[in-house]
Amino acid sequence: MKSIITGSGIGVPRNVVRNDALTRIMDTTDEWIRSRSGIEERRYADPGQGSAELGSIAAEAALKDARRKKEDIEAVIFATMTPNFFFPGNGPVIQAKMGFPETIPTFDIRQQCSGFLYGLDLADSLIRSGKYGRLLLIGADVHTPFMPWQMGWASTIGGERRELTPEEYAFNTSIRDRTVLFGDGAGAVVIESSENGERGFLAAKLFTDGSNIEALYVPGVGFRMRPYVDHEQLNRADPIPVMSGREVFKQAVSKMPDSVRAVCTAAGVSLSDIDLLLIHQANLRIVEGVGKALGFAADKVPHNIERYGNTTAGTLPILYHECVRDGRIKPGMLICFTALGSGLHWGAALYRT
Ligand code: ACO
């Protein structure tokens, strides 16, 4: 018995924010953002629209695509590092919002940019254990709440447009290395058990190394603090993620290729058997670097980061869905998913369509 993806869907906000909109509120340029990251635009959620809202749009679309009703789903896995509430997680939010019966469990997982990849392996394991036959897996993140919204950011989605004070402009510029990279978005898949041994997940290799958490983390708002959030943390901007961009870049272009090699060995296939490599969309240069390290031609390494930026747990399911929709993913193909993100967590999974 294997587990197979029977449907997919996405939920992306309506607000398209082009690089030019960011040049109005910080010292950056379209040229810098494009040449360093490949990003041309990203989408920002409306105020009040969280990862559960985008996730539920994606989930409804995935259920429709799989021709399944809510009653058919036996468990939900929600991967996000930006839940609607500190607790509970998005599981019960989505259960109530979408009207799933209370008889099913909802699992909340994080793993940041590797969240969807971890969710795939968890879903596959739960199905192959025989306990559940049909699951919904959602990967969604909203990064706009990290942005200092009071400092002129509303103008990016057509809200209040005013002259920023020099202090506001300087503050936005001080975090420009991170803010220009991220967008909001969600994707979802329905995963089911299948007796057709040809199709399905072949293997996954997942890794964790927490020896350098500070390479990419949120320094404030944590339960080692007393209290877990206070005015001093807010004044220091501790709730805004800190990133050592070069360090993360270096890790990404070596660890993702290593994990792809490792999962191929585990499954007894060679790199050349892979038809399409779906890489977490953090930076076009990382995507190209991983493809090159593995000797893959550009047409085997699809990307959409130019349109969405990094949507963290959303990137892989959005990319998967778009590749299915435009015919780049065809029946019988061998697909490899790979990701690396804060933790660090990283890994790869092989899937025969
Ligand atoms: N606009 C203009 N200039 C900028 C910007 C900006 N938005 N951001 C930084 N700069 C400046 C810096 O101030 C610095 O200037 P200085 O040299 O005068 O000090 C300079 O640009 C740095 O340039 P580079 O060193 O060439 O930048 P680099 O090539 O390292 O690219 C980047 C930076 C894009 C952040 C890259 O390192 C990267 O993508 N890293 C990985 C990010 C990532 O993958 N994150 C993980 C996923 S997130 C998750 O898991 C939640």
Side-chain angles (χ1 to χ4, degrees):
M1 195 228 287
K2 287 218 176 73
S3 58
I4 59 170
I5 300 174
T6 54
S8 62
I10 66 173
V12 295
R14 63 189 175 134
N15 306 302
V16 176
V17 177
R18 297 190 59 78
N19 292 341
D20 284 346
L22 300 180
T23 65
R24 292 198 299 267
I25 56 172
M26 68 180 85
D27 182 12
T28 191
T29 61
D30 176 50
E31 197 281 324
W32 194 97
I33 301 170
R34 275 177 200 251
S35 64
R36 296 308 204 290
S37 70
I39 299 165
E40 296 168 18
E41 61 190 39
R42 74 286 292 142
R43 285 168 181 249
Y44 284 175
D46 282 311
Q49 195 175 36
S51 53
E53 282 69 32
L54 295 181
S56 68
I57 297 169
E60 294 282 3
L63 286 171
K64 193 168 171 215
D65 190 40
R67 296 189 177 82
R68 292 294 182 194
K69 296 194 284 294
K70 274 150 212 157
E71 309 84 73
D72 299 326
I73 297 297
E74 295 166 24
V76 176
I77 304 172
F78 203 124
T80 185
M81 63 166 198
T82 53
N84 277 25
F85 303 102
F86 209 108
F87 76 84
N90 274 353
V93 180
I94 209 93
Q95 183 272 338
K97 187 180 281 297
M98 292 181 62
F100 285 107
E102 65 181 29
T103 46
I104 64 162
T106 57
F107 298 92
D108 285 296
I109 64 167
R110 299 182 40 151
Q111 286 78 33
Q112 295 66 247
C113 294
S114 301
F116 185 79
L117 178 73
Y118 266 63
L120 285 177
D121 194 38
L122 178 60
D124 179 49
S125 305
L126 290 172
I127 284 178
R128 281 190 297 105
S129 77
K131 189 156 185 192
Y132 304 103
R134 202 170 290 127
L135 287 101
L136 175 67
L137 167 62
I138 304 166
D141 273 297
V142 286
H143 297 95
T144 39
F146 284 124
M147 319 289 183
W149 208 250
Q150 73 283 11
M151 296 197 187
W153 287 76
S155 69
T156 60
I157 60 168
E160 180 198 34
R161 196 162 165 179
R162 60 175 173 80
E163 278 299 309
L164 269 61
T165 66
E167 290 75 22
E168 289 172 330
Y169 190 82
F171 184 79
N172 289 339
T173 299
S174 73
I175 54 172
R176 64 184 175 176
D177 58 318
R178 287 143 278 167
T179 48
V180 300
L181 301 178
F182 292 94
D184 303 336
V189 290
V190 175
I191 302 183
E192 310 192 20
S193 65
S194 164
E195 300 297 335
N196 171 356
E198 298 292 306
R199 293 182 62 197
F201 285 95
L202 305 186
K205 291 295 264 181
L206 303 180
F207 303 87
T208 305
D209 177 4
S211 62
N212 188 13
I213 281 173
E214 291 78 13
L216 182 49
Y217 81 129
V218 178
V221 196
F223 285 95
R224 70 190 192 292
M225 320 279 191
R226 303 289 181 277
Y228 80 105
V229 61
D230 60 23
H231 290 289
E232 276 174 42
Q233 291 179 52
L234 297 176
N235 292 340
R236 286 196 305 265
D238 283 356
I240 295 180
V242 167
M243 178 178 76
S244 167
R246 285 196 176 175
E247 178 59 21
V248 177
F249 195 103
K250 212 171 68 192
Q251 298 290 344
V253 292
S254 64
K255 286 194 157 66
M256 279 192 277
D258 286 350
S259 62
V260 172
R261 291 186 197 99
V263 80
C264 284
T265 304
V269 302
S270 62
L271 283 176
S272 57
D273 294 328
I274 295 173
D275 294 299
L276 218 56
L277 182 60
L278 302 187
I279 304 176
H280 166 58
Q281 305 286 293
N283 184 320
L284 185 59
R285 289 189 299 152
I286 292 177
V287 169
E288 290 171 347
V290 172
K292 202 167 150 211
L294 293 166
F296 279 37
D299 64 347
K300 281 190 163 187
V301 188
H303 50 82
N304 58 11
I305 187 162
E306 45 285 327
R307 284 180 287 119
Y308 298 116
N310 183 351
T311 57
T312 297
T315 75
L316 282 178
I318 294 174
L319 186 62
Y320 171 84
H321 176 79
E322 291 193 342
C323 287
V324 171
R325 199 187 51 193
D326 67 21
R328 271 180 294 176
I329 290 182
K330 297 184 185 66
M333 278 185 158
L334 186 62
I335 307 291
C336 184
F337 296 89
T338 185
L340 175 138
S342 166
L344 297 174
H345 293 286
W346 71 99
L350 280 171
Y351 177 68
R352 175 78 65 191
T353 55

